[in-house]
Amino acid sequence: MLEPLGVDDATFAVYHALLSHPDSTPEQIAVLANQPLAQVLNTMELLRKLELLVPTWADPKAEHAVHPRVGLSSLAERRRGELNRMLNELNQAESSAEVIAEQYNELLTARSSGDVEVLKGRANASQRIEELGLKARETLWGMIPAHLDDEIQPISDSPDMPLLERGLKMRSIYLQSMTVSKPGMDYAATLHRLGGEVRVTPTLPMRLLIFDQEIAIMAMDPDNPAAGAVIHRSPAVVAVALALFDAYWARADEIFSPEDRDDNNPLTPHEAEVLRLLAGGAKDEQVARLLGISLRTARRITANLSERLDATSRFELGVAAAKRGWV
């Protein structure tokens, strides 16, 4: 009942014994309170700190228990003061926590906004996508749901051309209906001949571009291509975009033969360096460290090269690359 004042049952038993038998020794108090002597001595020291056991006026060497009305009331007042101070400190801490939380929210918002870029209008979207293409290093995956009535520009005027010339690895998925369009097939055939991979599928959910497996660009409104695009850099969103692309790529059909490709510039700089290091016996971990890329990226490049050369082992990859003069 007195716990809020710092007086538990055992402490109160000693205090009550001291009140009831003021002339008793600690040994006698231990018997009255039914507690070990060592515990009683510790409790008496606590009662002194609580100012419930104080020296007597007549004999400073003697002690007596303070009357409950005085002692406990005084103790309650001191505890109330302590609680008020703690409450003030708690209020101040709460205010500081609110400031910190607000600062964190601002930081989180800034980070989130940095992961998303909204491009309103087709012209703005096209211009920004071309800028990102100039910075792309290794790959461009694309789902392009172009229709028969869409205007298809010559590949010589296409932003895809500089990417292919730079050696980017490109995978493009088109609608199967494009195969009955001569301009569409000519465009796709040129992409394929220059090293790009092209597949077709009956349906596509939206237009999607993925640069270097790090940036995903989606239509703002899949039903209105002119609305613009949204650029996502969040790893979670990019991972979902990659999973979507991989699912459609796996079920799409190839429409050209691999032998139709020109292999004059078959490798990206990273792919060429990875092959050189692998040929020298380097492991994926060493490749990643030497090129300053993540282990995941190094393994992805190796897997892509193995798939491209139809190799099931590092040895087969080296042999196939050597046959093509890549190492």
Side-chain angles (χ1 to χ4, degrees), residues 116-126 128-129 143 145 205-209 216-232:
V116 179
E117 186 177 349
V118 178
L119 305 168
K120 294 184 178 180
R122 177 177 287 176
N124 289 333
S126 297
R128 183 67 176 124
I129 292 171
M143 295 196 314
M206 69 171 83
R207 183 178 294 270
L208 171 66
L209 299 176
I217 306 172
M218 306 176 188
M220 184 182 298
D221 181 355
D223 296 327
N224 181 16
V230 182
I231 299 174
H232 296 275

Side-chain angles (χ1 to χ4, degrees), residues 3-295:
E3 279 83 359
L5 299 180
V7 180
D8 58 18
D9 291 342
T11 303
F12 180 76
V14 174
Y15 176 54
H16 185 268
L18 288 168
L19 287 169
S20 304
H21 303 83
D23 297 327
S24 299
T25 64
E27 289 80 4
Q28 292 171 326
I29 295 298
V31 174
L32 291 169
N34 192 28
Q35 296 180 20
L37 177 59
Q39 182 176 339
V40 168
L41 292 174
N42 289 334
T43 302
M44 290 176 67
E45 184 61 32
L46 173 61
L47 291 171
R48 294 184 187 102
K49 292 180 180 178
L50 296 175
E51 299 182 12
L52 295 177
L53 183 63
V54 299
T56 62
W57 289 355
D59 184 3
K61 294 182 180 180
E63 295 177 305
H64 72 277
V66 178
H67 192 284
R69 181 175 291 114
V70 176
L72 294 178
S73 296
S74 177
L75 180 58
E77 187 62 29
R78 291 198 305 274
R79 294 291 288 175
R80 185 177 292 107
E82 293 173 1
L83 291 173
N84 286 335
R85 286 194 298 273
M86 292 176 62
L87 182 60
N88 289 334
E89 292 175 357
L90 179 61
N91 289 335
Q92 293 176 3
E94 188 176 23
S95 298
S96 298
E98 185 63 28
V99 171
I100 294 172
E102 187 61 29
Q103 291 173 343
Y104 177 73
N105 281 338
E106 292 176 359
L107 177 62
L108 187 63
T109 300
R111 287 179 175 175
S112 298
S113 62
D115 288 338
V116 179
E117 186 177 349
V118 178
L119 305 168
K120 294 184 178 180
R122 177 177 287 176
N124 289 333
S126 297
Q127 182 178 358
R128 183 67 176 124
I129 292 171
E130 287 189 32
E131 292 174 0
L132 292 173
L134 294 175
K135 300 176 182 178
R137 305 180 307 276
E138 298 176 6
T139 60
L140 168 58
W141 299 163
M143 295 196 314
I144 303 96
H147 296 280
L148 290 176
D149 54 351
D150 290 340
E151 182 178 350
I152 300 176
Q153 59 183 325
I155 194 168
S156 57
D157 300 329
S158 168
D160 290 337
M161 193 65 178
L163 303 181
L164 289 167
E165 291 175 345
R166 283 169 43 210
L168 257 70
K169 184 173 182 179
M170 294 181 61
R171 284 182 173 176
S172 303
I173 309 175
Y174 291 97
L175 289 173
Q176 203 163 35
S177 59
M178 287 293 293
T179 58
V180 300
S181 164
K182 186 178 186 307
M185 281 298 293
D186 288 345
Y187 188 95
T190 305
L191 279 180
H192 177 79
R193 181 175 54 81
L194 295 177
E197 296 181 66
V198 181
R199 293 186 181 182
V200 295
T201 187
T203 60
L204 287 172
M206 69 171 83
R207 183 178 294 270
L208 171 66
L209 299 176
I210 306 174
F211 284 109
D212 292 329
Q213 304 193 27
E214 297 174 354
I215 299 174
I217 306 172
M218 306 176 188
M220 184 182 298
D221 181 355
D223 296 327
N224 181 16
V230 182
I231 299 174
H232 296 275
R233 292 181 174 82
S234 164
V237 176
V238 174
V240 172
L242 284 169
L244 178 65
F245 179 88
D246 289 342
Y248 275 85
W249 181 261
R251 72 184 190 186
D253 297 322
E254 293 194 32
I255 55 175
F256 301 109
S257 169
E259 289 75 19
D260 296 334
R261 291 197 181 99
D262 291 341
D263 285 329
N264 295 328
N265 188 23
L267 302 176
T268 67
H270 263 159
E271 287 177 326
E273 192 62 18
V274 167
L275 271 179
R276 186 187 69 79
L277 292 171
L278 291 176
K283 303 298 184 183
D284 288 335
E285 292 79 1
Q286 294 172 298
V287 171
R289 186 178 67 255
L290 292 171
L291 295 184
I293 59 179
S294 68
L295 178 60

